[in-house]
Each structure stands twice: as C-alpha cells, then as structure tokens.
Amino acid sequence: MYSRYLREEIESRLGSGKAIVVIGPRQVGKTTLIESILETKDYLLLDGDDPKTRTLLTEPNTEQIRTILGKYKYVFIDEAQRIEGIGLTMKIITDRFKDVQLFTSGSSSFDLTNKINEPLTGRKWEYQLFPISWEEFETHHGYLNSEQQLENRLLYGFYPDVLNNNGDEISILRNLVNSYLYKDILSYSDIRKPEVLEKLVQALALQVGSEVNYSELAQIVHVDKNTISKYIDILQQGYIIFKLSSFSRNVRNEIKTNKKIYFYDNGVRNMVIGNFNPLDLRTDKGALWENFLISERMKQIEYKQSLARTYFWRTKQQQEVDFVEENSGKIIGYEFKWNKKKTSRLPKTFVESYNAESNVIDKDNFREFVIMK
C-alpha cells in the first residue's frame, strides 16, 4: 500500500471537534486512507452506497442519530454524496456529539461540497486526495526504481489500481474511464447528451498544453459555447480536468482571456484518445511531459497548502511561458523540455516586465519541480 502524504496531516486533526472530509476522484484511495488511519480504532462505517444506510441517514433527528452511533467514538461515512441532506446530519453529529470524531469521504466535489459547505461552515477540515503523487511513488519505490519508471508513468499515470497491476494497466484504465469518467459524472450532473461529453473530453485530450477556445470547441462538438463552458466546469468539478488561466498584468499584446486545460492523470488522458504507444513513437511527447509536470505540481500545491497561484503566459506574437507561479509577490516562470537544451530560456519580455525568476525543467531536474520543499 502506498503511504499517503495527507495521512500525517489528517491524524494531527483527530479530536479537534471538527469533521474530517476527504474528497477527490473515485478510485484514488480515499476509503483506504481513512480506514488505515482508523485501523487500530473501534469505528462505525456507514456506506452511502448502501440503500439502507441512505435511508437511515436521510434527515434523522438527534435521537435517531444517537441510536445509530451507539457507543462509537469514531464514525466514517463513505460516499457521503449519495445521502440526501448529509450536510445537516453531519452538523448534528459535530455539534451534539462532541466526543465523536466524524470522517466523511466523497467522490464528486460538485455534489458533496454543495451539500456540506453551508451546514458545516467552521465545522470541518477538508482535504482533496488525488492519484498517487510522484513524491508518494518515489517514497514507496525508491529513487532509482522511480526514475526507471518515468516513461511508464507518463503513459499510464498514477491511479493506485494501475500501479498495483503491472502489465494490466490498459484494462484497468479502460474500466476506470468507462465506469467512472462518463457514468458517474452523468449520474451526478444535469447532462442530457452523453455523446457530447465524450466528444468534448476527446477534443480536450488532443489539445493538452494548447490554449483552448470555447467557440472552436463548440464547432467541433456541435453544441453552443455555453454548453461547452458548462460541461468543462462539470469535468473540472468531477476531477477529470483542471484549467490554467493566462497571466496578465501590464504588457501590451498579452493574451488575457484564454485557458489551457490539463488532465489530473496522464493515464486517463491517454485512454480517452486510445494511445499508449511508447514515447519515442509519439508526436505528443511534449504535451504528456507538460501534463505530468503540471498535474504533479498541482498535487503539491494542494497537499502542502501553498498559497501559489498558477497560470500560463503568452503574447499575440507567440512568446510563451508554459507555467507561471505567483507567490507572495514573487513571480516564477517555467519552461518544460523533455530533453535538455542549452539554448532554452524564457522570453526576455516576460522576465524583464515582471522581474521574474526563470527555470527550465527537463528530465534531469524535474524532481525539484514535482516535490515542493
């Protein structure tokens, strides 16, 4: 089992009088993480996928909750987004049963977060869990073994099931994409055209690392621009993709409104386009490298509670910086190259206009980017 970075942070919150909420995509190990924290404790597991549990926990009063909890001091509600009114139930447990430590997990942020945010204001510690990070992978396998597997990780990604089934990665990813990517999102959101969602995800997968234009996507998928915007938001809330906005302050001709879209996991991205060819046979090697680096950096920013804000930068003259971080007034630009090139450098306009630090990240130095100190 992979040791998760968040475990220590969550354990430090035990007994704080607040609920501990872990959200993130399906199959990334939320249940495994919480159960490993509780393995030495006597705890009550309430599974939101179970119809009887859903009935019991839908709008119960205080006395009914007292009966359900019994003498348990640790309570874990798994797949909580399936339970109607779960936010109010969690509020009652947190407010009325002070000696109970409540844990909750959920797969879809657009569903669970909406249900618990208002009732649990000031009453929860919330954490996002993603597929295994490079840091967690390296801790488990060691430096040398991890380096040897770098190309495989660019192809197959970091879902725990994928990592634990060497040689069967494509079947695992196919099942993951078919069962979760579309079905789960369709069941939790108001999407009436699943075929449109599928076409859109494929179009986004082919444009990783490039700016996306909602009007062009609308033409490709044959829907209007507002539908594209709505579906992209749902895919982001469902932990399939995330957006980077353009960085713009004062330089004339900067691109100000476009977005770049990345996938949380390279393996999911490659399954969507049905391509697991080796890196030396691919034309999208640069895009895979960029997606890997940025998705890993986003995990680090979240796990280490960094205040960094993230962007890309480009001008109408095609000057470009792959990734920009702004933190405490300091601006750092990053250029990503699979192979080291002595001539690689960031545009002079960007560096001078923003007094920016510049970095080129390649295979030789990528660890310092994907593991934040």
Side-chain angles (χ1 to χ4, degrees), residues 228-347:
I228 293 292
S229 180
K230 176 188 166 188
Y231 281 24
I232 284 177
D233 285 346
I234 288 169
L235 287 166
Q236 185 163 0
Q237 290 166 338
Y239 290 103
I240 309 303
I241 61 169
F242 60 92
K243 294 185 276 195
L244 277 191
S245 299
S246 54
F247 182 82
S248 174
R249 292 293 184 275
N250 54 24
V251 178
R252 200 163 161 255
N253 294 323
E254 282 178 327
I255 302 291
K256 293 179 171 63
T257 58
N258 283 8
K259 311 274 186 214
K260 282 189 175 186
I261 288 180
Y262 297 90
F263 281 68
Y264 275 109
D265 187 74
N266 273 35
V268 168
R269 184 266 178 182
N270 288 330
M271 177 51 69
V272 165
I273 63 170
N275 185 353
F276 289 97
N277 288 337
L279 286 194
D280 55 4
L281 300 178
R282 301 182 74 114
T283 56
D284 62 351
K285 183 165 33 185
L288 285 179
W289 182 233
E290 188 172 324
N291 195 89
F292 160 73
L293 291 171
I294 293 178
S295 61
E296 286 302 313
R297 188 71 171 186
M298 300 307 265
K299 292 174 191 174
Q300 291 286 305
I301 287 170
E302 179 63 31
Y303 289 166
K304 299 187 176 171
Q305 299 176 26
S306 166
L307 298 176
R309 288 180 288 180
T310 56
Y311 311 89
F312 72 96
W313 180 85
R314 192 169 76 79
T315 67
K316 290 172 184 172
Q317 289 77 31
Q318 307 299 312
Q319 291 180 300
E320 187 171 3
V321 177
D322 291 330
F323 189 71
V324 178
E325 267 186 16
E326 183 181 24
N327 197 346
S328 304
K330 186 178 180 182
I331 295 166
I332 307 173
Y334 295 92
E335 185 73 18
F336 302 132
K337 299 292 180 189
W338 174 245
N339 291 311
K340 193 171 188 175
K341 292 179 182 173
K342 289 181 181 176
T343 55
S344 294
R345 59 171 62 92
L346 271 64

Side-chain angles (χ1 to χ4, degrees), residues 2 15 20 26 33 46 50 55 71 110 120 165 195-196 215 218-219 232-233 239 282 285 288 294 299 311 318 329 334:
Y2 287 85
I20 292 169
R26 273 193 187 273
L33 171 62
L46 298 164
D50 176 40
T55 304
K71 294 181 179 178
F110 45 79
L120 285 184
N165 289 278
E195 69 283 356
V196 169
S215 297
Q219 290 177 340
I232 284 177
D233 285 346
Y239 290 103
R282 301 182 74 114
K285 183 165 33 185
L288 285 179
I294 293 178
K299 292 174 191 174
Y311 311 89
Q318 307 299 312
Y334 295 92

Side-chain angles (χ1 to χ4, degrees), residues 9-11 21 50 55 94 109 112 134 152 157 178 189-191 197 216 223 244 250 252 287 291 304 318 330 333 344:
E9 169 67 21
I10 291 172
E11 285 179 331
V21 180
D50 176 40
T55 304
T94 307
S109 66
L112 182 60
W134 179 268
N152 274 348
N178 289 343
S189 56
D190 184 27
I191 289 183
L197 184 72
E216 286 177 12
V223 293
L244 277 191
N250 54 24
R252 200 163 161 255
N291 195 89
K304 299 187 176 171
Q318 307 299 312
K330 186 178 180 182
S344 294

Side-chain angles (χ1 to χ4, degrees), residues 12 21 24 34 36 57 77 82 88 97 113 133 141 181 187-188 222 262 267 270 280 296 306 311 333 354 362:
S12 73
V21 180
I34 293 173
S36 73
L57 291 181
I77 305 173
R82 302 289 307 277
L88 288 173
F97 300 90
T113 304
S133 69
H141 290 284
L181 189 64
S187 69
Y188 287 126
H222 305 300
Y262 297 90
N270 288 330
D280 55 4
E296 286 302 313
S306 166
Y311 311 89
Y354 297 115
D362 56 44

